[in-house]
Amino acid sequence: MKRNIAIALKNFRKMMVKIAIYHKTHIAAPNRKPSRPEAQPEAQPEASKPADQQMVDLSCRRYIIKDSVNIFTRKGAVIQMIDFNEEYKKKLKTPEEAVQLIQSGDWIEYGQTASFAPACDKALAKRIDELEDIKIWCAIAPIIPEAVQADTEHRTFIYNTWHASGAERHGIDQGAGYFSPQLYRDQGSYYERGYAKCNVVMISVPPMDRHGNFNLSLNNSCMQEAFDAADRIILEVIEDKPTVFGMERDHINIRDVDAVVEGHGHTSTFPIPAITEADEKIAKIVFPFIEDGDTVQLGIGGMPNAIGSMIANSDLKNLGMHTELMSDGYLDLYRSGVMNDSAKPVFRGKGIYSVCVGSRDLYDFMDYNQGMLSMPMAKVNDPWLIKELDHFISINGCIATDLYTVRYARKALAPDR
């Protein structure tokens, strides 16, 4: 018995040796050929290396990056890289050159809130006699674009707003534009499904970062859907635009852009509406319904600002923000510490919004503020997300109403009356 066990162990050892040899010669290095080791260049002292060479550590190996175009390993392998600065230079245009990309019959997306491109807009206005049938999409614009103002007979530029600001309402009353009703959270899907045409996107952005990305700043909304639908994309860089953090769809890379313009203007601000006596009375009625830990959505205007001011001077605490539009109404709330997003069941510690417009003070507050998080409008206004927020309160002002609408709204809520 012992003899048989000894023979078996001996055969097992022989078999394992054969397997090890086979693995070494046929699997681990099938094409290995004996060769003399290559002479390694003498290590260059760090101080004597050219300034354009930078040492970085990738996957535990040492690489030299040269001119940010190629990566040279010490064994001579080359990995191609994109020189974003060179790409930027290739696409850099004057405003007049950039708007040459626009053709008669185009639909142009000007973006929303303070995102339209002033220098490009001014250059486009000069082409009023060259072009025809140009349609412009915009929303909540602080001012009417210069191209529309220049076309007093409305022969070339046709202005369409998804959500009318005070300036846009005045323009519509003067016959300078049209209002397009929409469900805000579905606006991006209109571009995706072809219900709303978009040939050109022309908006303003902050300067490009070192990774070749342009932040969408105050205008997340549905810009990615517009980018995907557009044939041409023009970006105007404005130095003082805030850079904001986003959950998704908050930037575009230089590779996806057709033209870049370096503007010398400033980000458009929105005048803060004066708080009227009626606003204060409404605020006093609404205020008692707000409790500690509530998530609050404020609209834009005198009444939301009045409520924001009242809350900021109250004893309430740990309020949160979840809103489609970030405005000056929230500024005092955050600065007073009443609002800190600490009690929200989702996105705790983050104030959620999709677009932002207001004062220069508000833009400075948003710039690189990690407590703020932009999201696409389809996400912010998604009822399934909002229902996850405990004690969510939405406060909005309205311009006007009529007895016909009120009557049928009441009938829908109480059909027995």
PDB file of all heavy atoms in Angstrom, residues 48-78:
ATOM      1  N   SER A  48      17.627  69.151 -15.652  1.00  0.00           N
ATOM      2  CA  SER A  48      18.097  69.472 -16.991  1.00  0.00           C
ATOM      3  C   SER A  48      17.081  69.140 -18.072  1.00  0.00           C
ATOM      4  O   SER A  48      17.343  69.360 -19.236  1.00  0.00           O
ATOM      5  CB  SER A  48      19.400  68.709 -17.268  1.00  0.00           C
ATOM      6  OG  SER A  48      19.149  67.309 -17.269  1.00  0.00           O
ATOM      7  N   LYS A  49      15.924  68.581 -17.698  1.00  0.00           N
ATOM      8  CA  LYS A  49      14.919  68.209 -18.695  1.00  0.00           C
ATOM      9  C   LYS A  49      14.215  69.444 -19.226  1.00  0.00           C
ATOM     10  O   LYS A  49      14.050  70.430 -18.502  1.00  0.00           O
ATOM     11  CB  LYS A  49      13.905  67.244 -18.084  1.00  0.00           C
ATOM     12  CG  LYS A  49      14.523  65.900 -17.746  1.00  0.00           C
ATOM     13  CD  LYS A  49      13.487  64.959 -17.173  1.00  0.00           C
ATOM     14  CE  LYS A  49      14.118  63.609 -16.838  1.00  0.00           C
ATOM     15  NZ  LYS A  49      13.140  62.680 -16.261  1.00  0.00           N
ATOM     16  N   PRO A  50      13.776  69.405 -20.498  1.00  0.00           N
ATOM     17  CA  PRO A  50      13.057  70.557 -21.056  1.00  0.00           C
ATOM     18  C   PRO A  50      11.804  70.859 -20.250  1.00  0.00           C
ATOM     19  O   PRO A  50      11.179  69.970 -19.688  1.00  0.00           O
ATOM     20  CB  PRO A  50      12.698  70.093 -22.484  1.00  0.00           C
ATOM     21  CG  PRO A  50      13.667  69.009 -22.775  1.00  0.00           C
ATOM     22  CD  PRO A  50      13.986  68.346 -21.472  1.00  0.00           C
ATOM     23  N   ALA A  51      11.408  72.123 -20.256  1.00  0.00           N
ATOM     24  CA  ALA A  51      10.256  72.546 -19.449  1.00  0.00           C
ATOM     25  C   ALA A  51       8.953  71.970 -19.965  1.00  0.00           C
ATOM     26  O   ALA A  51       7.971  71.886 -19.228  1.00  0.00           O
ATOM     27  CB  ALA A  51      10.183  74.074 -19.426  1.00  0.00           C
ATOM     28  N   ASP A  52       8.913  71.583 -21.272  1.00  0.00           N
ATOM     29  CA  ASP A  52       7.651  71.082 -21.815  1.00  0.00           C
ATOM     30  C   ASP A  52       7.453  69.592 -21.557  1.00  0.00           C
ATOM     31  O   ASP A  52       6.520  68.991 -22.056  1.00  0.00           O
ATOM     32  CB  ASP A  52       7.575  71.359 -23.325  1.00  0.00           C
ATOM     33  CG  ASP A  52       8.657  70.627 -24.090  1.00  0.00           C
ATOM     34  OD1 ASP A  52       9.608  70.127 -23.432  1.00  0.00           O
ATOM     35  OD2 ASP A  52       8.571  70.563 -25.329  1.00  0.00           O
ATOM     36  N   GLN A  53       8.398  68.959 -20.816  1.00  0.00           N
ATOM     37  CA  GLN A  53       8.245  67.553 -20.468  1.00  0.00           C
ATOM     38  C   GLN A  53       7.797  67.449 -19.025  1.00  0.00           C
ATOM     39  O   GLN A  53       8.384  68.062 -18.139  1.00  0.00           O
ATOM     40  CB  GLN A  53       9.562  66.807 -20.669  1.00  0.00           C
ATOM     41  CG  GLN A  53       9.957  66.686 -22.141  1.00  0.00           C
ATOM     42  CD  GLN A  53      11.157  65.792 -22.313  1.00  0.00           C
ATOM     43  OE1 GLN A  53      11.714  65.304 -21.335  1.00  0.00           O
ATOM     44  NE2 GLN A  53      11.548  65.567 -23.542  1.00  0.00           N
ATOM     45  N   GLN A  54       6.768  66.672 -18.837  1.00  0.00           N
ATOM     46  CA  GLN A  54       6.178  66.544 -17.500  1.00  0.00           C
ATOM     47  C   GLN A  54       6.065  65.075 -17.147  1.00  0.00           C
ATOM     48  O   GLN A  54       5.581  64.274 -17.949  1.00  0.00           O
ATOM     49  CB  GLN A  54       4.792  67.195 -17.493  1.00  0.00           C
ATOM     50  CG  GLN A  54       4.086  67.090 -16.163  1.00  0.00           C
ATOM     51  CD  GLN A  54       2.681  67.641 -16.262  1.00  0.00           C
ATOM     52  OE1 GLN A  54       2.251  68.061 -17.316  1.00  0.00           O
ATOM     53  NE2 GLN A  54       1.960  67.622 -15.161  1.00  0.00           N
ATOM     54  N   MET A  55       6.526  64.716 -15.955  1.00  0.00           N
ATOM     55  CA  MET A  55       6.450  63.331 -15.502  1.00  0.00           C
ATOM     56  C   MET A  55       5.119  63.084 -14.828  1.00  0.00           C
ATOM     57  O   MET A  55       4.705  63.845 -13.966  1.00  0.00           O
ATOM     58  CB  MET A  55       7.581  63.053 -14.509  1.00  0.00           C
ATOM     59  CG  MET A  55       8.980  63.151 -15.122  1.00  0.00           C
ATOM     60  SD  MET A  55       9.253  61.963 -16.429  1.00  0.00           S
ATOM     61  CE  MET A  55       9.157  60.444 -15.500  1.00  0.00           C
ATOM     62  N   VAL A  56       4.416  62.037 -15.246  1.00  0.00           N
ATOM     63  CA  VAL A  56       3.173  61.645 -14.589  1.00  0.00           C
ATOM     64  C   VAL A  56       3.201  60.150 -14.347  1.00  0.00           C
ATOM     65  O   VAL A  56       3.954  59.415 -14.961  1.00  0.00           O
ATOM     66  CB  VAL A  56       1.926  61.997 -15.450  1.00  0.00           C
ATOM     67  CG1 VAL A  56       1.807  63.477 -15.612  1.00  0.00           C
ATOM     68  CG2 VAL A  56       2.003  61.307 -16.803  1.00  0.00           C
ATOM     69  N   ASP A  57       2.386  59.681 -13.440  1.00  0.00           N
ATOM     70  CA  ASP A  57       2.345  58.270 -13.073  1.00  0.00           C
ATOM     71  C   ASP A  57       1.018  57.683 -13.522  1.00  0.00           C
ATOM     72  O   ASP A  57      -0.036  58.090 -13.050  1.00  0.00           O
ATOM     73  CB  ASP A  57       2.486  58.134 -11.553  1.00  0.00           C
ATOM     74  CG  ASP A  57       2.802  56.687 -11.168  1.00  0.00           C
ATOM     75  OD1 ASP A  57       2.610  55.817 -12.023  1.00  0.00           O
ATOM     76  OD2 ASP A  57       3.226  56.471 -10.024  1.00  0.00           O
ATOM     77  N   LEU A  58       1.040  56.776 -14.489  1.00  0.00           N
ATOM     78  CA  LEU A  58      -0.171  56.135 -14.991  1.00  0.00           C
ATOM     79  C   LEU A  58      -0.024  54.629 -14.837  1.00  0.00           C
ATOM     80  O   LEU A  58       0.892  54.040 -15.368  1.00  0.00           O
ATOM     81  CB  LEU A  58      -0.419  56.475 -16.468  1.00  0.00           C
ATOM     82  CG  LEU A  58      -0.574  57.966 -16.814  1.00  0.00           C
ATOM     83  CD1 LEU A  58      -0.677  58.125 -18.317  1.00  0.00           C
ATOM     84  CD2 LEU A  58      -1.819  58.515 -16.142  1.00  0.00           C
ATOM     85  N   SER A  59      -0.963  54.018 -14.121  1.00  0.00           N
ATOM     86  CA  SER A  59      -0.959  52.563 -13.929  1.00  0.00           C
ATOM     87  C   SER A  59       0.374  52.065 -13.385  1.00  0.00           C
ATOM     88  O   SER A  59       0.907  51.042 -13.837  1.00  0.00           O
ATOM     89  CB  SER A  59      -1.298  51.842 -15.239  1.00  0.00           C
ATOM     90  OG  SER A  59      -2.551  52.266 -15.692  1.00  0.00           O
ATOM     91  N   CYS A  60       0.943  52.793 -12.465  1.00  0.00           N
ATOM     92  CA  CYS A  60       2.183  52.397 -11.772  1.00  0.00           C
ATOM     93  C   CYS A  60       3.392  52.366 -12.697  1.00  0.00           C
ATOM     94  O   CYS A  60       4.381  51.730 -12.405  1.00  0.00           O
ATOM     95  CB  CYS A  60       2.015  51.047 -11.081  1.00  0.00           C
ATOM     96  SG  CYS A  60       0.701  51.049  -9.855  1.00  0.00           S
ATOM     97  N   ARG A  61       3.313  53.016 -13.859  1.00  0.00           N
ATOM     98  CA  ARG A  61       4.454  53.095 -14.758  1.00  0.00           C
ATOM     99  C   ARG A  61       4.791  54.557 -14.984  1.00  0.00           C
ATOM    100  O   ARG A  61       3.938  55.427 -14.889  1.00  0.00           O
ATOM    101  CB  ARG A  61       4.156  52.415 -16.106  1.00  0.00           C
ATOM    102  CG  ARG A  61       3.882  50.931 -15.969  1.00  0.00           C
ATOM    103  CD  ARG A  61       3.622  50.331 -17.333  1.00  0.00           C
ATOM    104  NE  ARG A  61       3.346  48.901 -17.222  1.00  0.00           N
ATOM    105  CZ  ARG A  61       3.069  48.124 -18.268  1.00  0.00           C
ATOM    106  NH1 ARG A  61       3.037  48.644 -19.472  1.00  0.00           N
ATOM    107  NH2 ARG A  61       2.836  46.845 -18.098  1.00  0.00           N
ATOM    108  N   ARG A  62       6.038  54.837 -15.329  1.00  0.00           N
ATOM    109  CA  ARG A  62       6.470  56.204 -15.536  1.00  0.00           C
ATOM    110  C   ARG A  62       6.392  56.556 -17.017  1.00  0.00           C
ATOM    111  O   ARG A  62       6.835  55.810 -17.877  1.00  0.00           O
ATOM    112  CB  ARG A  62       7.911  56.379 -15.041  1.00  0.00           C
ATOM    113  CG  ARG A  62       8.116  56.040 -13.595  1.00  0.00           C
ATOM    114  CD  ARG A  62       7.375  56.975 -12.660  1.00  0.00           C
ATOM    115  NE  ARG A  62       7.982  58.297 -12.645  1.00  0.00           N
ATOM    116  CZ  ARG A  62       7.497  59.295 -11.932  1.00  0.00           C
ATOM    117  NH1 ARG A  62       6.413  59.126 -11.220  1.00  0.00           N
ATOM    118  NH2 ARG A  62       8.104  60.470 -11.948  1.00  0.00           N
ATOM    119  N   TYR A  63       5.771  57.702 -17.288  1.00  0.00           N
ATOM    120  CA  TYR A  63       5.628  58.153 -18.663  1.00  0.00           C
ATOM    121  C   TYR A  63       6.147  59.581 -18.782  1.00  0.00           C
ATOM    122  O   TYR A  63       6.177  60.341 -17.814  1.00  0.00           O
ATOM    123  CB  TYR A  63       4.164  58.146 -19.114  1.00  0.00           C
ATOM    124  CG  TYR A  63       3.565  56.767 -19.252  1.00  0.00           C
ATOM    125  CD1 TYR A  63       3.090  56.082 -18.136  1.00  0.00           C
ATOM    126  CD2 TYR A  63       3.481  56.156 -20.489  1.00  0.00           C
ATOM    127  CE1 TYR A  63       2.536  54.823 -18.257  1.00  0.00           C
ATOM    128  CE2 TYR A  63       2.919  54.885 -20.613  1.00  0.00           C
ATOM    129  CZ  TYR A  63       2.455  54.228 -19.501  1.00  0.00           C
ATOM    130  OH  TYR A  63       1.906  52.988 -19.624  1.00  0.00           O
ATOM    131  N   ILE A  64       6.518  59.943 -19.972  1.00  0.00           N
ATOM    132  CA  ILE A  64       6.876  61.321 -20.255  1.00  0.00           C
ATOM    133  C   ILE A  64       5.857  61.859 -21.257  1.00  0.00           C
ATOM    134  O   ILE A  64       5.663  61.285 -22.320  1.00  0.00           O
ATOM    135  CB  ILE A  64       8.284  61.436 -20.861  1.00  0.00           C
ATOM    136  CG1 ILE A  64       9.332  60.933 -19.869  1.00  0.00           C
ATOM    137  CG2 ILE A  64       8.578  62.876 -21.266  1.00  0.00           C
ATOM    138  CD1 ILE A  64      10.737  60.977 -20.420  1.00  0.00           C
ATOM    139  N   ILE A  65       5.184  62.969 -20.899  1.00  0.00           N
ATOM    140  CA  ILE A  65       4.254  63.613 -21.822  1.00  0.00           C
ATOM    141  C   ILE A  65       4.988  64.767 -22.488  1.00  0.00           C
ATOM    142  O   ILE A  65       5.531  65.623 -21.810  1.00  0.00           O
ATOM    143  CB  ILE A  65       3.007  64.131 -21.090  1.00  0.00           C
ATOM    144  CG1 ILE A  65       2.290  62.972 -20.405  1.00  0.00           C
ATOM    145  CG2 ILE A  65       2.083  64.849 -22.042  1.00  0.00           C
ATOM    146  CD1 ILE A  65       1.038  63.382 -19.682  1.00  0.00           C
ATOM    147  N   LYS A  66       4.969  64.790 -23.800  1.00  0.00           N
ATOM    148  CA  LYS A  66       5.665  65.848 -24.516  1.00  0.00           C
ATOM    149  C   LYS A  66       4.688  66.575 -25.431  1.00  0.00           C
ATOM    150  O   LYS A  66       4.019  65.949 -26.249  1.00  0.00           O
ATOM    151  CB  LYS A  66       6.800  65.254 -25.358  1.00  0.00           C
ATOM    152  CG  LYS A  66       7.641  66.330 -26.052  1.00  0.00           C
ATOM    153  CD  LYS A  66       8.805  65.702 -26.791  1.00  0.00           C
ATOM    154  CE  LYS A  66       9.648  66.746 -27.454  1.00  0.00           C
ATOM    155  NZ  LYS A  66      10.790  66.176 -28.184  1.00  0.00           N
ATOM    156  N   ASP A  67       4.612  67.893 -25.268  1.00  0.00           N
ATOM    157  CA  ASP A  67       3.748  68.736 -26.089  1.00  0.00           C
ATOM    158  C   ASP A  67       2.281  68.348 -25.991  1.00  0.00           C
ATOM    159  O   ASP A  67       1.489  68.731 -26.835  1.00  0.00           O
ATOM    160  CB  ASP A  67       4.168  68.671 -27.568  1.00  0.00           C
ATOM    161  CG  ASP A  67       5.595  69.163 -27.744  1.00  0.00           C
ATOM    162  OD1 ASP A  67       6.005  70.030 -26.967  1.00  0.00           O
ATOM    163  OD2 ASP A  67       6.266  68.674 -28.658  1.00  0.00           O
ATOM    164  N   SER A  68       1.886  67.571 -25.000  1.00  0.00           N
ATOM    165  CA  SER A  68       0.513  67.107 -24.768  1.00  0.00           C
ATOM    166  C   SER A  68      -0.108  66.473 -26.006  1.00  0.00           C
ATOM    167  O   SER A  68      -1.307  66.455 -26.181  1.00  0.00           O
ATOM    168  CB  SER A  68      -0.370  68.264 -24.272  1.00  0.00           C
ATOM    169  OG  SER A  68      -0.551  69.235 -25.280  1.00  0.00           O
ATOM    170  N   VAL A  69       0.749  65.968 -26.938  1.00  0.00           N
ATOM    171  CA  VAL A  69       0.240  65.302 -28.135  1.00  0.00           C
ATOM    172  C   VAL A  69       0.508  63.805 -28.073  1.00  0.00           C
ATOM    173  O   VAL A  69      -0.371  62.997 -28.305  1.00  0.00           O
ATOM    174  CB  VAL A  69       0.892  65.887 -29.408  1.00  0.00           C
ATOM    175  CG1 VAL A  69       0.377  65.175 -30.638  1.00  0.00           C
ATOM    176  CG2 VAL A  69       0.620  67.382 -29.493  1.00  0.00           C
ATOM    177  N   ASN A  70       1.739  63.423 -27.748  1.00  0.00           N
ATOM    178  CA  ASN A  70       2.107  62.016 -27.679  1.00  0.00           C
ATOM    179  C   ASN A  70       2.613  61.670 -26.288  1.00  0.00           C
ATOM    180  O   ASN A  70       3.229  62.494 -25.617  1.00  0.00           O
ATOM    181  CB  ASN A  70       3.207  61.696 -28.700  1.00  0.00           C
ATOM    182  CG  ASN A  70       2.740  61.973 -30.106  1.00  0.00           C
ATOM    183  OD1 ASN A  70       1.611  61.646 -30.455  1.00  0.00           O
ATOM    184  ND2 ASN A  70       3.600  62.569 -30.910  1.00  0.00           N
ATOM    185  N   ILE A  71       2.363  60.442 -25.885  1.00  0.00           N
ATOM    186  CA  ILE A  71       2.939  59.925 -24.642  1.00  0.00           C
ATOM    187  C   ILE A  71       3.998  58.904 -25.037  1.00  0.00           C
ATOM    188  O   ILE A  71       3.708  57.950 -25.747  1.00  0.00           O
ATOM    189  CB  ILE A  71       1.879  59.244 -23.769  1.00  0.00           C
ATOM    190  CG1 ILE A  71       0.827  60.263 -23.319  1.00  0.00           C
ATOM    191  CG2 ILE A  71       2.513  58.603 -22.540  1.00  0.00           C
ATOM    192  CD1 ILE A  71      -0.228  59.682 -22.420  1.00  0.00           C
ATOM    193  N   PHE A  72       5.227  59.121 -24.594  1.00  0.00           N
ATOM    194  CA  PHE A  72       6.314  58.212 -24.887  1.00  0.00           C
ATOM    195  C   PHE A  72       6.631  57.402 -23.638  1.00  0.00           C
ATOM    196  O   PHE A  72       6.988  57.965 -22.603  1.00  0.00           O
ATOM    197  CB  PHE A  72       7.559  58.995 -25.323  1.00  0.00           C
ATOM    198  CG  PHE A  72       7.351  59.822 -26.559  1.00  0.00           C
ATOM    199  CD1 PHE A  72       6.915  61.127 -26.462  1.00  0.00           C
ATOM    200  CD2 PHE A  72       7.576  59.281 -27.814  1.00  0.00           C
ATOM    201  CE1 PHE A  72       6.716  61.902 -27.589  1.00  0.00           C
ATOM    202  CE2 PHE A  72       7.384  60.040 -28.953  1.00  0.00           C
ATOM    203  CZ  PHE A  72       6.948  61.355 -28.843  1.00  0.00           C
ATOM    204  N   THR A  73       6.522  56.096 -23.712  1.00  0.00           N
ATOM    205  CA  THR A  73       6.939  55.264 -22.591  1.00  0.00           C
ATOM    206  C   THR A  73       8.442  55.085 -22.680  1.00  0.00           C
ATOM    207  O   THR A  73       9.072  55.399 -23.694  1.00  0.00           O
ATOM    208  CB  THR A  73       6.264  53.887 -22.639  1.00  0.00           C
ATOM    209  OG1 THR A  73       6.804  53.142 -23.723  1.00  0.00           O
ATOM    210  CG2 THR A  73       4.763  54.025 -22.818  1.00  0.00           C
ATOM    211  N   ARG A  74       9.048  54.562 -21.626  1.00  0.00           N
ATOM    212  CA  ARG A  74      10.501  54.376 -21.636  1.00  0.00           C
ATOM    213  C   ARG A  74      10.924  53.273 -22.597  1.00  0.00           C
ATOM    214  O   ARG A  74      12.094  53.158 -22.922  1.00  0.00           O
ATOM    215  CB  ARG A  74      10.989  54.079 -20.220  1.00  0.00           C
ATOM    216  CG  ARG A  74      10.824  55.277 -19.299  1.00  0.00           C
ATOM    217  CD  ARG A  74      11.803  55.188 -18.149  1.00  0.00           C
ATOM    218  NE  ARG A  74      11.651  56.290 -17.216  1.00  0.00           N
ATOM    219  CZ  ARG A  74      12.169  57.479 -17.378  1.00  0.00           C
ATOM    220  NH1 ARG A  74      12.847  57.750 -18.472  1.00  0.00           N
ATOM    221  NH2 ARG A  74      12.000  58.414 -16.471  1.00  0.00           N
ATOM    222  N   LYS A  75       9.958  52.450 -23.033  1.00  0.00           N
ATOM    223  CA  LYS A  75      10.295  51.395 -23.985  1.00  0.00           C
ATOM    224  C   LYS A  75      10.009  51.819 -25.420  1.00  0.00           C
ATOM    225  O   LYS A  75      10.074  51.025 -26.338  1.00  0.00           O
ATOM    226  CB  LYS A  75       9.517  50.123 -23.648  1.00  0.00           C
ATOM    227  CG  LYS A  75       9.964  49.487 -22.336  1.00  0.00           C
ATOM    228  CD  LYS A  75       9.285  48.150 -22.122  1.00  0.00           C
ATOM    229  CE  LYS A  75       9.784  47.489 -20.834  1.00  0.00           C
ATOM    230  NZ  LYS A  75       9.133  46.177 -20.612  1.00  0.00           N
ATOM    231  N   GLY A  76       9.606  53.093 -25.604  1.00  0.00           N
ATOM    232  CA  GLY A  76       9.441  53.592 -26.963  1.00  0.00           C
ATOM    233  C   GLY A  76       8.028  53.543 -27.498  1.00  0.00           C
ATOM    234  O   GLY A  76       7.775  54.013 -28.609  1.00  0.00           O
ATOM    235  N   ALA A  77       7.063  52.962 -26.739  1.00  0.00           N
ATOM    236  CA  ALA A  77       5.691  52.915 -27.228  1.00  0.00           C
ATOM    237  C   ALA A  77       5.091  54.319 -27.228  1.00  0.00           C
ATOM    238  O   ALA A  77       5.436  55.156 -26.410  1.00  0.00           O
ATOM    239  CB  ALA A  77       4.854  51.992 -26.346  1.00  0.00           C
ATOM    240  N   VAL A  78       4.203  54.587 -28.176  1.00  0.00           N
ATOM    241  CA  VAL A  78       3.608  55.906 -28.314  1.00  0.00           C
ATOM    242  C   VAL A  78       2.086  55.792 -28.214  1.00  0.00           C
ATOM    243  O   VAL A  78       1.471  54.954 -28.867  1.00  0.00           O
ATOM    244  CB  VAL A  78       3.979  56.550 -29.670  1.00  0.00           C
ATOM    245  CG1 VAL A  78       3.314  57.914 -29.811  1.00  0.00           C
ATOM    246  CG2 VAL A  78       5.482  56.680 -29.789  1.00  0.00           C
TER     247      VAL A  78
END
